[in-house]
Amino acid sequence: MFLELKNNFLSVGKRRIDTLIDQARVNIFSVETDGLFFDYSKTNIDLETRSKLLELVINTDVISKRDAMFSGKKINLSEDRAVLHTALRKSTGQVFVDGEDVIPAVLKTRTRMFDFSDDVQTGKVSGQGGKYTDVVNIGIGGSDLGPAMAYLALKPYKKGPKCHYVSNIDGAHIHDVLSDLNPETTLVIVASKTFTTIETLTNAKTAFKWMAESVLEPGTQFVALSSSKEKTAEFGIPNSQLFGFEDWVGGRYSLWGPIGLSLVIAIGKEHFSNFLNGAQSMDLHFQNTEKSQNLPIIMALVGIWHAQICGYTTRAILPYEQRLSRLPAYLQQLEMESNGKGVGIEGKDLLTKSGPIVWGEPGTNGQHAFYQLIHQGTHIVPCEFMIAKQGHEAELKHHHQLLQANCLAQSQALMSGRNIEKARSMADSLGFLGTELEQQARQRVFEGNRPSTTLVYPKLTPFCLGQIIAMYEHRVFVEGVILGINSFDQWGVELGKELATELAPVLEGSNSATHYDLSTQNLVSKLSSK
Ligand code: F6P
């Protein structure tokens, strides 16, 4: 089927997208669910291409694999684990892993999280100096990006203390965060699924030392979020201050449970419940909707078309929403750590390219930075625009209208471009003549025909954010299944971790560097010289 699709691309790839647009296309090449509207009419996919793409869903058994994931089957084969972030957003029902229903424990932990966040908000749980004013979440990757992204996204719903996120092992990060805080009114959350991650443990020890300088019992102002009771106890955080979760929650899928604690403290349990409800609404849509109208499936097929069939190596995430400024970073981990693999689930080389490079920035800022390349560079970058019908700042409605205008203008310009005749007449009206006119005109040509999709959502509420994140999670799953990838392991990050552990004593001067390659030895000596 990939070959057939590639042949299809060879015959249709160069045709103009704008010549395809008519009312029927606008209706057919869009999907709507629970307030979200996804438009993919500005791509080169036509009905024939779409039906071939939909065949991929059948041929690769996406539907039964989806059902296997939701039902708790151990689909993460290399780690022999179930994949059940979807169970973290459930409030009823049963899901069995190894013969045990996991939902009662999920609900129990959620209640503990809600009670704890209520107590932090009211001051019942407090620091040595009284009610907590600040929360520092120390974690990295999935233990940081999700809560940090969502905290920023849901700022209008914040009612608890201020949250700060420390991830980098660069001492500058923790230094700059802690130096503005009062240890006596600061709660520290150490978030690490494995509780072995060097960055997080190093930052947690530094935070403990900082706290111990002014607080008599610093340990009482620490909580841990982890799936390892033993490791958190070894670190000195008692079980009563641990919010645990199981190994069937992948790090980059963990925002919905204990890893979301800072978010619950910030926005409160009602809003967090709405966030979970939004994700559940997307789960139900993904589980129950026919494939041609199924939003995550369609997004995945558009992604496969662009990355594996057309061969466009990157994908830009362009939310026209300042509060989604950490979404591209969050999706980089979600998509690239999940599907950035050249070996398939059965241990064989992939027959296609792996998932694409994901990057992006909010609009309109990106327009004044990298859109030049998107419009006129030699790389084709499929752009994924996102825009809300409504902003939160009612008094600044004109800002939102300008934001919307910019978003629509970009996708329109990418598709339609500007031809040489128009460019010549512009150069002419600017007074250029002869060869200079031609030179000036050529540089004002936009070839257009560059694909994009647009997601329109009502307003960035907790419910809506939950829908959007779950939509991307399921899209990653579908793309992974079609490519034959296990989207839930991450062996590619191990080697660097191992080598860093070996290199640390070399840089400290306690081990020799002589067994390293000459380039590394040279860099060690440059970094170590006085
Ligand atoms: O970078 C690899 C990784 O294992 C991610 O998958 C994970 O989100 C991150 O490190 C942090 O891991 P942990 O939560 O176990 O500290």
Side-chain angles (χ1 to χ4, degrees):
M1 190 46 70
F2 272 96
L3 196 64
E4 261 186 59
L5 279 159
K6 279 191 178 151
N7 288 335
N8 178 254
F9 172 63
L10 290 180
S11 62
V12 304
K14 292 268 180 290
R15 96 190 134 187
R16 299 280 319 176
I17 298 170
D18 48 4
T19 62
L20 300 175
I21 302 282
D22 61 16
Q23 191 55 51
R25 181 171 176 84
V26 170
N27 296 339
I28 294 169
F29 291 84
S30 58
V31 180
E32 200 155 12
T33 176
D34 215 354
L36 300 188
F37 178 79
F38 177 71
D39 172 88
Y40 62 110
S41 62
K42 291 190 178 82
T43 67
N44 218 326
I45 296 173
D46 60 15
L47 281 175
E48 191 193 337
T49 314
R50 193 177 72 167
S51 66
K52 288 185 197 308
L53 287 165
L54 286 165
E55 270 181 59
L56 283 178
V57 176
I58 300 167
N59 296 348
T60 55
D61 240 353
V62 169
I63 303 304
S64 62
K65 288 176 180 159
R66 171 199 69 190
D67 295 344
M69 173 175 77
F70 276 94
S71 68
K73 297 253 159 51
K74 296 197 175 175
I75 61 163
N76 175 357
L77 295 186
S78 73
E79 296 178 310
D80 191 29
R81 288 176 185 166
V83 173
L84 276 180
H85 46 281
T86 52
L88 292 179
R89 36 225 197 200
K90 283 177 87 72
S91 300
T92 53
Q94 295 180 311
V95 181
F96 289 89
V97 176
D98 292 328
E100 195 183 323
D101 179 11
V102 301
I103 300 301
V106 165
L107 298 184
K108 200 170 158 203
T109 305
R110 193 185 299 158
T111 304
R112 272 188 69 217
M113 286 166 64
F114 284 0
D115 291 346
F116 182 74
S117 68
D118 278 351
D119 291 348
V120 169
Q121 280 174 0
T122 58
K124 195 169 163 201
V125 166
S126 56
Q128 178 176 291
K131 201 167 164 177
Y132 285 124
T133 53
D134 295 273
V135 173
V136 178
N137 184 87
I138 298 179
I140 197 163
S143 300
D144 164 75
L145 288 164
M149 173 275 296
Y151 175 72
L152 189 60
L154 299 178
K155 204 66 182 283
Y157 301 87
K158 181 181 159 304
K159 50 185 188 182
K162 209 166 169 197
C163 295
H164 313 262
Y165 294 86
V166 173
S167 51
N168 204 322
I169 200 157
D170 182 347
H173 201 177
I174 193 147
H175 171 273
D176 289 357
V177 169
L178 296 185
S179 58
D180 287 338
L181 304 182
N182 173 3
E184 295 188 16
T185 55
T186 298
L187 171 71
V188 176
I189 298 177
V190 187
S192 174
K193 178 181 167 181
T194 55
F195 233 77
T196 58
T197 306
I198 191 75
E199 290 92 334
T200 301
L201 296 186
T202 307
N203 280 323
K205 282 178 193 151
T206 301
F208 194 89
K209 218 171 134 215
W210 167 80
M211 182 88 71
E213 279 162 17
S214 6
V215 172
L216 285 176
E217 287 183 82
T220 59
Q221 293 186 207
F222 273 68
V223 295
L225 319 175
S226 179
S227 60
S228 175
K229 261 192 208 146
E230 298 71 32
K231 295 259 165 31
T232 46
E234 240 171 68
F235 186 84
I237 301 180
N239 273 347
S240 55
Q241 285 160 242
L242 166 68
F243 295 86
F245 54 100
E246 299 299 323
D247 67 3
W248 40 255
V249 182
R252 52 194 174 275
Y253 298 87
S254 60
L255 170 62
W256 318 100
I259 294 295
L261 184 67
S262 58
L263 185 64
V264 188
I265 293 174
I267 65 175
K269 63 185 177 205
E270 287 83 12
H271 291 314
F272 190 81
S273 299
N274 285 335
F275 175 61
L276 298 183
N277 292 342
Q280 256 219 301
S281 140
M282 186 54 65
D283 292 343
L284 292 171
H285 166 79
F286 180 46
Q287 285 179 287
N288 299 320
T289 310
E290 186 272 312
K291 56 186 180 314
S292 71
Q293 296 307 311
N294 192 307
L295 181 44
I297 292 182
I298 290 297
M299 280 187 91
L301 295 179
V302 173
I304 298 272
W305 169 252
H306 287 143
Q308 281 76 26
I309 309 299
C310 307
Y312 307 145
T313 50
T314 85
R315 157 190 303 170
I317 307 291
L318 306 170
Y320 276 65
E321 173 91 48
Q322 182 58 27
R323 293 193 180 103
L324 285 180
S325 60
R326 292 299 286 158
L327 183 72
Y330 172 79
L331 292 180
Q332 279 180 330
Q333 186 197 17
L334 184 66
E335 300 210 10
M336 298 206 274
E337 199 166 82
S338 298
N339 289 342
K341 293 159 191 168
V343 171
I345 195 158
E346 277 150 12
K348 295 193 188 120
D349 286 350
L350 290 196
L351 300 173
T352 62
K353 296 267 182 227
S354 67
I357 298 159
V358 175
W359 58 288
E361 263 292 301
T364 58
N365 289 9
Q367 291 177 201
H368 301 275
F370 53 80
Y371 277 43
Q372 165 63 43
L373 180 148
I374 289 182
H375 284 290
Q376 286 189 314
T378 55
H379 306 273
I380 305 274
V381 181
C383 292
E384 303 197 346
F385 294 100
M386 301 167 71
I387 180 80
K389 277 192 202 163
Q390 214 191 325
H392 282 87
E393 291 65 36
E395 73 290 3
L396 299 174
K397 205 168 167 211
H398 61 295
H399 281 250
H400 197 71
Q401 280 158 352
L402 282 170
L403 187 71
Q404 291 175 332
N406 271 278
C407 180
L408 298 189
Q410 292 302 325
S411 63
Q412 202 190 1
L414 283 167
M415 176 173 74
S416 302
R418 182 197 285 142
N419 63 24
I420 186 74
E421 286 74 32
K422 279 195 190 140
R424 278 195 192 113
S425 93
M426 279 180 81
D428 182 50
S429 63
L430 289 168
F432 293 110
L433 298 167
T435 51
E436 210 186 347
L437 182 143
E438 198 56 21
Q439 278 169 7
Q440 291 285 345
R442 287 285 297 124
Q443 289 171 67
R444 287 169 169 77
V445 170
F446 289 58
E447 68 185 26
N449 218 23
R450 301 192 169 205
S452 70
T453 60
T454 304
L455 179 79
V456 177
Y457 52 92
K459 189 176 179 179
L460 194 59
T461 58
F463 184 89
C464 181
L465 184 69
Q467 286 177 295
I468 292 173
I469 301 304
M471 170 190 82
Y472 275 107
E473 286 178 346
H474 296 322
R475 182 227 200 145
V476 165
F477 170 79
V478 176
E479 288 192 1
V481 171
I482 291 175
L483 298 177
I485 286 172
N486 175 2
S487 303
F488 303 103
D489 59 13
Q490 55 282 321
W491 300 107
V493 294
E494 293 303 320
L495 181 59
K497 283 190 197 171
E498 278 166 34
L499 296 184
T501 310
E502 274 177 36
L503 271 161
V506 173
L507 284 153
E508 281 160 12
S510 49
N511 277 1
S512 120
T514 50
H515 59 293
Y516 288 107
D517 62 85
L518 288 177
S519 167
T520 305
Q521 282 189 43
N522 189 38
L523 292 171
V524 167
S525 87
K526 291 283 170 216
L527 286 169
S528 320
S529 60
K530 296 253 158 69

